[in-house]
Amino acid sequence: MPLTMASIGETNMIRRVGGNEETRRFLENLGFVAGTEVTVLSAIGGNVIVNIKDSRVAINADMARYIMV
């Protein structure tokens, strides 16, 4: 399922990151790589704030749809 559908407070494992090459590279630079644990802290209108690799990162709904957990 896409990251936008994950429950708040739930820790998930990233299964795969989709999108074109530029999008995947952007998300990898933020720490979104397969096998990494990610916790959704807040979700408003599909936009999410997550805790990944001891950092808080905010991404919009379009980017969150590319991240499969």
Side-chain angles (χ1 to χ4, degrees):
M1 72 178 168
L3 185 61
T4 54
M5 296 180 70
S7 300
I8 295 173
E10 179 181 353
T11 300
N12 293 290
M13 183 76 65
I14 296 175
R15 302 293 177 207
R16 115 184 125 77
V17 179
N20 61 30
E21 184 63 32
E22 182 180 348
T23 302
R24 285 195 308 269
R25 193 173 317 118
F26 174 75
L27 291 171
E28 284 178 10
N29 288 337
L30 291 176
F32 294 95
V33 293
T36 305
E37 288 188 347
V38 61
T39 305
V40 177
L41 302 176
S42 175
I44 300 170
N47 301 325
V48 293
I49 299 173
V50 299
N51 190 1
I52 185 165
K53 295 186 177 180
D54 297 327
S55 298
R56 287 186 181 183
V57 178
I59 56 173
N60 65 20
D62 293 332
M63 289 292 172
R65 285 190 199 100
Y66 291 122
I67 302 166
M68 297 295 164
V69 294

